Amino acid sequence: MGRVPRRSPGRRTFAKGGTMPVRPSSVRHRSARSPRPLRAVAAAAALGCLTLGVTGAGAAGVDDAQYVSRSVPGTLYCGQTANVSVTMRNTGTSTWLTTTYRLRPTTTTTWGVAATGVAPSTNVTPGANGTFAFTITAPATGGTYAFQWQMHNGVAAFGAPTPSLSIPVFCEGANGYRSGYREVTGTALNDLFNDSAHVVDDPAFSSPLVSHVEQSTVFFGGRYLMYHRHPTLRGIALATSNDGHTWTAYNGGAQVLSGPGDISAPNVMVDRDPAGRPRLAMVYEHCDNCGGKVRVGRSYSYDGIAWTAPLDVVIPSATGWDGQHTGTPNVVRTPDGRYRVGFHAHPSTGNPTENFLTIGFADGASLDATLAKAGPVVGNATVNAPGWWAKAGVGKRDIVKEGSYWYMVFEGMRGDVNCSDNGVFSWGLARTPDATFKTSWEFSVRNPIRIDRQGRKCGEDMPAFQVVGGVPYITVPAMDQLTPTGGAVNDPVKRYKIVSGPRGRISTEIVAMARASDAQGYYEVNAAGNVYAYGSATFHGSPAPTSGIVGIAAKPGGGGYWLVSGNGVVYNYGTAGHFGDPRSLPLVKPIVGITATPSGNGYWLVAGDGGVFNYGDAPLLGSMGGKVLNAPMVGMAATTSGNGYWLVASDGGVFNYGDAPFHGSMGGQALNAPVVGIAGAPNNGYWLVGRDGGIFAFPSGQPYAGSTGGLLADMPAGTGSVPANAVAIVATPASVGYGYWILFRDGGILDAGPARYFGDPSYFA
């Protein structure tokens, strides 16, 4: 008898000729007639790591696979096709045959691939890589879809699946973003244009960023991307948002696009490259350290993060209307396939009378070559002029489509375009049905939509649309705010939402203001007794039509308010109680104001001669009644404890009583305009306000949030003889911080510091 051949240690031979590796340290030796228990094979298959190869040409073995790499687009349009590839390594002992082995999706989304999967292009031997190249089709419905694949041998899946990946898919028009432009739903812009809507601060907008100056927002890759000028570097940074309301700095606020040269003022749109692939196109200001002329450059990105090198596409002329700058661009690809780039143009002349900005447009079949310019289109005396508020020119703009019109928000300048102290900026609205943007511009009867009352050196400028779910919002950076030392800082952008109803026009001057307890709203009242409530402030009634109303005080904790007339009649509304008034007394001078106690169970009145009248739990701590005054009293403010108060006269003299400290006054000093009000600060300091909107802060070092002193001289008086002069100041509580509102006779509000704007009844002729 012949000798039985020895088998190699550690391997077992199976009837089909295949071999299975075993671990000698953990497998008991058995005779040839005692095969390995089947449960061990089943367990291995259950772990998804090892599977017996199927019978086919050549030897069968053990199946196993390992992910290597993939090439997949970061985002897709609905129904878009894309070429992808997935590379897997054969870590088993069987060969992956093209006739049997497939790469299959692990999810119900097949991406347009047959359920049987994708075959390797060639047989893949053990230890080799196999690349599966195929075409996918995005789902027809927008959303975020899983993209995960696993090897299959025709009987069972084997090996680990590819890492989980989610691909955002969005349809044309999703969230208001089409290829080439943004399109909003509804009639909000039409209503705003025609004065049947107005704007208010949007409390849903939240961002921790230091600055969003010159921002532009787009929806791409399943999220909102807001590009803005880096607050300290001459490049572009990015913030992201899943809902379009709450924003986060990308990569800690680092730049995503920088030089060569200086790059700023980005504007972004969804675009498609010549092969039809989705990408972003960005235009921006570009200059060589801004020592020369400013040009418009462009870059592309397929993921919103990595951008191509700058290419200049709009170049200033040697002289003339665009001889120095072509900057703050915006880009749109209109339905005719043409790229339209708007830009501000600055002339080369140094003549101050010609130192204005205008708007021009350039266009071309692509952004890969210099565009042909046309203009000026909007902004000086020879073309469409938007009005007195933009007498020094018009600058940055942004464009969206609503219905049959293209709407443009744009900045206007009333002073020096270089933002000197008399350069107050505002913004307005224009529209045209002309997709070339070169003719037919008309301007809203409501312009400026927001006059600057922010006390900022450059004001509310550089407006832009932010479209969220098809709804238009308007962002306005409040940049270069004046500080007490004359320096400047960049503030975060504020966002306005459009609400139904006209901003309102008054026929009787606004005389007083009071804040809601939570500082998230306020009241205004006019001399006829009409009460206007904004934000969290609730309307509880009014004595209108009446006459001679001079003051309003809101009940602490909410629920009501008091009005007072010059002849001493107190009107109470809501839960505000009536504790008495001096209507039956012979007043030496008319009442000029009312102040509530912190409990809401009392109030003080002050008259023009300095007399103080106390009711409820309001203590009488002293007055100037019967004493000689250099100027009449105009206002009163209480301390945070309610155990003290200040009176102020029109010459800036301050009189303190109880625990109200005296920190100084403007008495005896030259004033540009009379003082009209006083507000107590959370630290028991105080602010005085002049009729011109100027602020005087006491004590020295008291927080100062800005003013409009001297900056509103050219504002039209409005209807009748109502001037746009300041009439009152109201401070925010300690829970909010050191801020204040300044009220103007036309109802306009200056919201300074943490004080927020919630609307007003102001008007402009």
Side-chain angles (χ1 to χ4, degrees), residues 404-406 432-441:
S404 59
Y405 285 98
W406 300 88
T432 179
D434 173 23
T436 72
F437 307 147
K438 297 175 183 177
T439 61
S440 306
W441 286 105

Side-chain angles (χ1 to χ4, degrees), residues 476-503:
V476 182
M479 63 180 293
D480 290 339
Q481 179 175 336
L482 291 178
T483 65
T485 59
V489 296
N490 285 327
D491 285 348
V493 73
K494 66 164 54 179
R495 189 171 80 178
Y496 292 116
K497 64 179 180 179
I498 302 171
V499 297
S500 298
R503 185 166 56 186

Side-chain angles (χ1 to χ4, degrees), residues 307-698:
W307 292 86
T308 60
L311 174 69
D312 292 337
V313 293
V314 180
I315 312 297
S317 301
T319 60
W321 67 281
D322 67 332
Q324 186 61 36
H325 283 182
T326 53
T328 60
N330 71 284
V331 61
V332 171
R333 191 176 189 178
T334 47
D336 62 2
R338 303 283 290 182
Y339 291 89
R340 318 280 176 178
V341 174
F343 58 93
H344 80 237
H346 191 183
S348 57
T349 176
N351 187 339
T353 63
E354 298 179 3
N355 190 27
F356 49 76
L357 295 186
T358 56
I359 292 175
F361 284 89
D363 72 286
S366 81
L367 290 177
D368 297 328
T370 302
L371 304 178
K373 294 173 296 186
V377 174
V378 178
N380 65 21
T382 63
V383 296
N384 292 331
W388 63 272
W389 58 280
K391 68 181 184 181
V394 290
K396 185 180 183 296
R397 81 237 52 81
D398 198 16
I399 294 177
V400 299
K401 192 172 189 295
E402 179 189 270
S404 59
Y405 285 98
W406 300 88
Y407 286 85
M408 176 172 69
V409 287
F410 62 101
E411 67 181 0
M413 291 144 281
R414 290 185 292 142
D416 188 340
V417 298
N418 294 317
C419 299
S420 64
D421 287 348
N422 66 344
V424 182
F425 287 19
S426 303
W427 57 274
L429 189 65
R431 72 181 185 185
T432 179
D434 173 23
T436 72
F437 307 147
K438 297 175 183 177
T439 61
S440 306
W441 286 105
E442 56 180 320
F443 301 93
S444 171
V445 297
R446 208 58 163 104
N447 282 346
I449 302 300
R450 275 285 288 169
I451 181 72
D452 173 67
R453 301 195 186 197
Q454 306 305 305
R456 295 179 169 94
K457 186 176 180 182
C458 285
E460 286 192 357
D461 64 348
M462 299 186 180
F465 287 111
Q466 196 168 77
V467 181
V468 180
V471 176
Y473 298 83
I474 300 166
T475 61
V476 182
M479 63 180 293
D480 290 339
Q481 179 175 336
L482 291 178
T483 65
T485 59
V489 296
N490 285 327
D491 285 348
V493 73
K494 66 164 54 179
R495 189 171 80 178
Y496 292 116
K497 64 179 180 179
I498 302 171
V499 297
S500 298
R503 185 166 56 186
R505 288 179 170 83
I506 60 171
S507 58
T508 305
E509 67 184 42
I510 296 291
V511 294
M513 175 186 183
R515 66 167 169 82
S517 295
D518 61 2
Q520 301 305 305
Y522 43 73
Y523 300 94
E524 296 184 32
V525 64
N526 67 10
N530 296 106
V531 175
Y532 305 86
Y534 299 95
S536 63
T538 302
F539 178 77
H540 297 286
S542 80
T546 186
S547 62
I549 297 298
V550 296
I552 182 172
K555 181 182 177 182
Y561 45 79
W562 300 271
L563 308 180
V564 66
S565 65
N567 59 7
V569 178
V570 172
Y571 303 88
N572 60 302
Y573 297 94
T575 59
H578 193 281
F579 303 106
D581 62 39
R583 71 180 75 187
S584 61
L585 300 178
L587 299 173
V588 176
K589 293 290 184 180
I591 299 296
V592 296
I594 182 172
T595 300
T597 63
S599 69
N601 294 319
Y603 43 77
W604 297 274
L605 310 180
V606 61
D609 66 341
V612 174
F613 304 86
N614 60 309
Y615 300 95
D617 66 357
L620 179 62
L621 303 170
S623 78
M624 291 299 292
K627 300 177 181 179
V628 177
L629 297 176
N630 294 326
M633 292 295 176
V634 293
M636 179 183 190
T639 61
T640 55
S641 69
N643 295 317
Y645 47 77
W646 301 274
L647 309 180
V648 66
S650 63
D651 66 348
V654 173
F655 306 88
N656 61 307
Y657 300 94
D659 66 0
F662 179 76
H663 295 298
S665 76
M666 296 302 295
Q669 301 185 49
L671 299 174
N672 292 326
V675 168
V676 294
I678 184 172
N683 64 349
N684 280 337
Y686 45 84
W687 296 285
L688 312 182
V689 62
R691 189 173 63 190
D692 63 349
I695 293 292
F696 307 96
F698 297 95

Side-chain angles (χ1 to χ4, degrees), residues 11 18-21 44 49-54 59-65 90-96 101 126 153 158:
R11 301 192 73 84
T19 60
M20 173 69 76
C49 295
L50 298 174
T51 303
L52 289 177
V54 298
V62 177
D63 289 329
D64 199 6
N90 184 346
T91 54
T93 60
S94 59
T95 297
W96 298 350
Y101 286 79
N153 60 20
F158 64 89

